């Protein structure tokens, strides 16, 4: 009952005319920026983060909730229309969604994505409201050793599953931890990594870092690969769904929600795994298997619901524990810290009205998103007709303006360009950017918990595993680190039956259809070489 009354108080705050206006502005801004090519929810939130800086915290986070869900919807729009996922969690949506668009069913794909996002987001937010206080009660009982272990697990788990290799992920994490060390040591008062610059004594502003790595780095990367030819735009028509589309979509919406929320709430869970599981499940349960790979509506409804349910799930550990589990949650954590608010177990007691207003605004923003974007889908598609040079010139302009508005210091522009170049180089060499952001945000907090633990136990390292939760978490950490090595050893020592040895080496790396094609090509090459040998 306490949760219900707190949520009603949150609705009372969020439904005031001014806060409702901020929610609507947030939805429009988030969707407008999110539908632009290459801009995912994380970059959308990072780019628009300075927009909320002049507002008081409650109004700012209500607007931020609209930006958050608007960016999520915008990412699905580009995946469907242009086959350009804004982030990895939208890749599965693009598989069937873009096929539907090419088949003239872009309207239905956009509609099922919007409605599925609304249903999954509403259910996920309700679970967030119910589960977050329970997670807080558990978190209050934890000590510094357990918090240190959980943060280490979050860093290692998220880093290990991203990027083309684990080594690149840990390299990105190291860069983030180094950036997080810039400033004055909170215990000794010594300056670290300031290089004699007084402006670096307070450390690097996380908003400047996020905008530089996400927006500026991406703009430079696209500019380096810019094509002068205009984009091919697919007309979306009027978004509507027939009875058959509704009948084929409602079960995938619910199943996708069931997949998405638990994975989103887990450290390193993210939305990639549940979207893939949702797609595989719908492919097995569908009554129209022949449509998969050609534009099956179930392949859009399920993964998109899983994606948005996972997005709601990520807010549970972020608000209750202060642990971001994906890039968007990391940028949202940066928004809290920019207001001097520390997410964690004390957040619900110290900032209760703000938190419940934020949760209530998630419901409101989700509904506004559905009401506004269903009729406006053709308009968002027309935004994609902007020439790429104008588009990314505008992104760089607003990123520069936003970074300068944080502290009104020209030095931040230098930091913006330097870190933007770093973001470009990371993309050039395949380093994921999320571990860097997590390292910048969580690095100082991990250091604080480590020092607190060592002070409590007089410098004895055994204090790090003095709590049962910490021991369990360290076992999980060991499994995360050693599992790939153990898996390779077991696989190497396992005998391979002769019946499963592939006829062509390319079958090991290619899919079934590609393997058949490779085998046909191999047979053709062998036949031609034999024919040439028979010639005199």
């Amino acid at each position: 009952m306490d949760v219900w009354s707190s949520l009603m108080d949150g609705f009372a705050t969020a439904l005031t005319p001014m806060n409702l206006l901020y929610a609507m502005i947030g939805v429009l801004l988030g969707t407008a920026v999110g539908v632009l090519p290459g801009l995912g929810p994380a970059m959308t939130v990072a780019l628009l983060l300075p927009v909320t800086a002049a507002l008081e915290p409650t109004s700012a986070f209500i607007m931020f909730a609209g930006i958050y869900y608007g960016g999520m919807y915008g990412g699905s729009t580009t995946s469907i229309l242009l086959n350009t996922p804004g982030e990895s969690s939208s890749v599965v949506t693009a598989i069937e969604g873009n096929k539907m668009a090419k088949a003239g069913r872009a309207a239905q794909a956009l509609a099922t994505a919007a409605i599925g996002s609304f249903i999954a987001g509403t259910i996920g937010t309700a679970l967030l409201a119910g589960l977050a206080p329970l997670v807080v009660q558990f978190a209050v009982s934890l000590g510094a050793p357990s918090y240190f272990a959980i943060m280490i697990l979050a860093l290692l788990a998220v880093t290990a599953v991203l990027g083309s290799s684990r080594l690149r992920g840990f390299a990105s994490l190291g860069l983030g931890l180094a950036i997080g060390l810039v400033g004055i040591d909170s215990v000794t008062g010594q300056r670290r990594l300031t290089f004699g610059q007084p402006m670096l004594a307070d450390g690097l502003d996380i908003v400047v870092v996020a905008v530089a790595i996400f927006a500026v780095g991406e703009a430079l990367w696209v500019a380096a690969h810019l094509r002068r030819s205009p984009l091919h735009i697919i007309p979306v028509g009027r978004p509507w769904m027939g009875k058959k589309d509704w009948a084929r979509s409602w079960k995938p919406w619910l199943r996708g929600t069931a997949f998405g929320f638990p994975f989103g709430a887990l450290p390193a869970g993210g939305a990639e795994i549940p979207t893939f599981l949702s797609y595989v499940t719908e492919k097995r349960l569908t009554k129209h298997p022949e449509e998969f790979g050609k534009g099956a509506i179930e392949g859009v409804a399920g993964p998109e619901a899983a994606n948005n349910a996972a997005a709601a799930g990520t807010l549970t550990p972020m608000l209750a524990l202060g642990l971001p589990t994906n890039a968007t949650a990391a940028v949202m954590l940066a928004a809290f810290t920019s207001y001097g608010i520390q997410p964690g177990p004390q957040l619900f007691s110290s900032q209760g009205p703000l938190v419940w207003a934020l949760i209530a605004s998630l419901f409101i923003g989700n509904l506004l998103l559905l009401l506004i974007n269903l009729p406006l889908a053709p308009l968002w598609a027309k935004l994609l007709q902007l020439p790429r040079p104008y588009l990314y010139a505008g992104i760089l302009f607003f990123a520069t303006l936003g970074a300068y508005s944080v502290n009104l210091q020209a030095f931040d522009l230098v930091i913006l360009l330097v870190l933007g170049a770093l973001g470009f180089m990371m993309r050039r060499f395949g380093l994921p950017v999320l571990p860097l952001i997590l390292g910048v945000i969580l690095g100082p907090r991990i250091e604080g918990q480590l020092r607190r633990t060592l002070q409590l136990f007089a410098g004895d390292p055994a204090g790090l595993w003095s709590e049962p939760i910490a021991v369990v978490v360290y076992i999980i950490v060991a499994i995360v680190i050693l599992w790939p090595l153990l898996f390779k050893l077991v696989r190497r020592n396992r005998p391979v039956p002769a019946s499963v040895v592939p006829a062509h080496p390319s079958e090991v790396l290619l899919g079934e259809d590609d393997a058949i094609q490779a085998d046909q090509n191999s047979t053709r090459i062998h036949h031609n070489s034999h024919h040439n040998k028979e010639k005199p």
Side-chain angles (χ1 to χ4, degrees):
M1 191 64 183
D2 184 47
V3 171
W4 178 256
S5 61
S6 299
L7 185 59
M8 290 300 100
D9 292 339
F11 272 109
T13 302
L15 287 174
T16 59
M18 189 57 65
N19 287 336
L20 201 57
L21 176 62
Y22 284 130
M24 185 172 295
I25 293 174
V27 168
L28 289 172
L29 283 176
T31 309
V33 178
V35 299
L36 299 178
L39 298 186
M43 193 183 305
T44 302
V45 173
L47 193 63
L48 297 176
L49 185 59
V51 176
T52 63
L55 304 177
E56 61 97 13
T58 303
S59 298
F61 282 104
I62 287 175
M63 183 175 175
F64 208 72
I67 293 173
Y68 178 53
Y69 273 143
M72 292 295 298
Y73 176 79
S76 66
T77 302
T78 56
S79 297
I80 292 170
L81 295 181
L82 291 178
N83 199 24
T84 307
E87 59 173 15
S88 55
S89 59
S90 300
V91 171
V92 179
T93 303
I95 295 175
E96 300 295 332
N98 189 246
K99 292 289 195 306
M100 289 184 66
K102 290 180 178 179
R105 287 172 50 81
Q108 288 74 18
L110 289 171
T112 192
I115 299 172
S117 298
F118 169 74
I119 293 175
T122 302
I123 296 175
T125 306
L127 293 174
L128 165 67
L131 294 180
L134 300 178
V135 177
V136 167
Q137 294 178 5
F138 169 73
V140 169
S141 63
L142 300 179
S146 296
Y147 271 112
F148 175 75
I150 291 173
M151 290 182 183
I152 291 294
L153 173 61
L155 281 182
L156 292 181
V158 172
T159 302
V161 299
L162 291 177
S164 55
S165 72
R166 296 162 66 93
L167 180 60
R168 288 187 173 94
F170 284 114
S172 177
L173 176 62
L175 290 173
L177 293 175
I179 294 174
L181 290 176
V182 174
I184 297 178
D185 190 308
S186 58
V187 176
T188 64
Q190 297 293 321
R191 294 186 178 184
R192 302 184 300 191
L193 301 178
T194 59
F195 304 101
Q197 291 289 337
M199 302 293 292
L200 291 176
D202 293 332
L204 297 177
D205 193 286
I206 185 60
V207 176
V208 177
V209 175
V211 172
I213 296 296
F214 282 108
V216 178
E218 180 69 17
L220 294 176
W221 175 252
V222 172
H225 301 81
L226 194 61
R227 293 182 178 179
R228 299 293 180 181
S229 60
L231 293 173
H232 175 64
I233 306 300
I234 301 172
V236 297
R238 183 179 178 183
W240 59 275
M241 293 172 60
K243 292 183 179 180
K244 185 177 180 181
D245 294 326
W246 280 92
R248 294 176 57 179
S249 296
W250 71 271
K251 289 182 180 179
W253 289 336
L254 297 179
R255 284 192 289 260
T257 304
F259 277 120
F261 186 85
F263 277 93
L266 293 174
E272 293 82 5
I273 296 176
T275 53
F276 176 76
L277 291 177
S278 175
Y279 181 79
V280 172
T281 301
E282 299 309 325
K283 189 174 182 178
R284 291 184 176 181
L285 296 180
T286 184
K287 297 179 180 179
H288 307 275
E290 72 282 355
E291 293 188 16
F292 270 80
K294 301 178 182 178
I297 195 169
E298 297 93 337
V300 179
E304 193 59 28
N307 187 8
N308 282 266
T314 59
L315 296 180
T316 303
M318 197 274 288
L319 293 175
L321 301 175
L323 292 176
T325 58
N326 64 7
T328 310
V331 180
M332 292 192 71
L333 183 61
F336 275 96
T337 56
S338 67
Y339 278 96
I341 300 173
Q342 187 63 56
Q346 304 302 323
L347 181 64
F348 280 77
S349 58
S350 62
Q351 301 287 341
L354 184 149
V355 174
W356 288 108
L358 170 63
I359 294 176
S361 68
L362 291 174
F363 287 103
I364 297 170
N366 210 16
L367 179 60
L368 289 175
L369 188 68
L370 182 67
L371 296 178
I372 292 174
N373 285 296
L374 274 179
L376 290 184
L379 176 62
W380 302 135
K382 289 182 179 179
L383 289 177
L384 303 177
Q385 295 176 344
L386 289 173
R388 289 287 182 94
Y390 299 157
L391 172 62
Y392 283 95
I395 291 175
L396 287 175
F397 171 76
F398 285 109
T400 304
L401 186 64
Y404 181 75
S405 65
V406 174
N407 298 311
L408 299 179
Q409 294 176 349
F411 185 74
D412 284 339
L413 299 182
V414 178
I415 298 298
L416 181 76
L417 294 177
V418 172
L419 293 180
L422 175 62
F424 169 79
M425 296 303 296
M426 291 177 67
R427 288 167 172 82
R428 168 63 180 82
F429 293 103
L431 271 66
V433 297
L434 173 56
L436 183 144
I437 299 295
L438 291 181
V440 174
I441 296 175
L442 294 183
R445 298 177 60 192
I446 291 176
E447 181 187 13
Q449 296 293 348
L450 174 61
R451 290 189 169 187
R452 187 174 295 113
T453 301
L454 295 178
Q455 288 173 350
L456 290 174
F457 291 88
D460 187 2
L464 295 174
W465 49 84
S466 59
E467 297 182 358
I469 297 296
V471 175
V472 173
V473 171
Y474 284 130
I475 293 175
I476 298 175
V477 168
I479 293 174
V480 170
I481 295 176
L482 298 178
W483 173 252
L485 178 61
L486 296 176
F487 182 76
K488 287 183 179 180
L489 291 176
V490 171
R491 194 172 183 180
R492 182 180 302 173
N493 295 329
R494 182 184 301 172
V496 180
S499 60
V500 299
V501 175
H504 191 278
S506 60
E507 294 183 23
V508 178
L509 299 177
L510 302 177
E512 182 179 352
D513 296 337
D514 292 334
I516 295 173
Q517 183 65 37
D519 188 64
Q520 293 174 351
N521 293 339
S522 176
T523 304
R524 189 180 300 113
I525 293 172
H526 176 74
H527 174 75
N528 291 339
S529 62
H530 180 71
H531 179 72
N532 291 335
K533 287 180 180 179
E534 291 179 351
K535 288 183 178 182

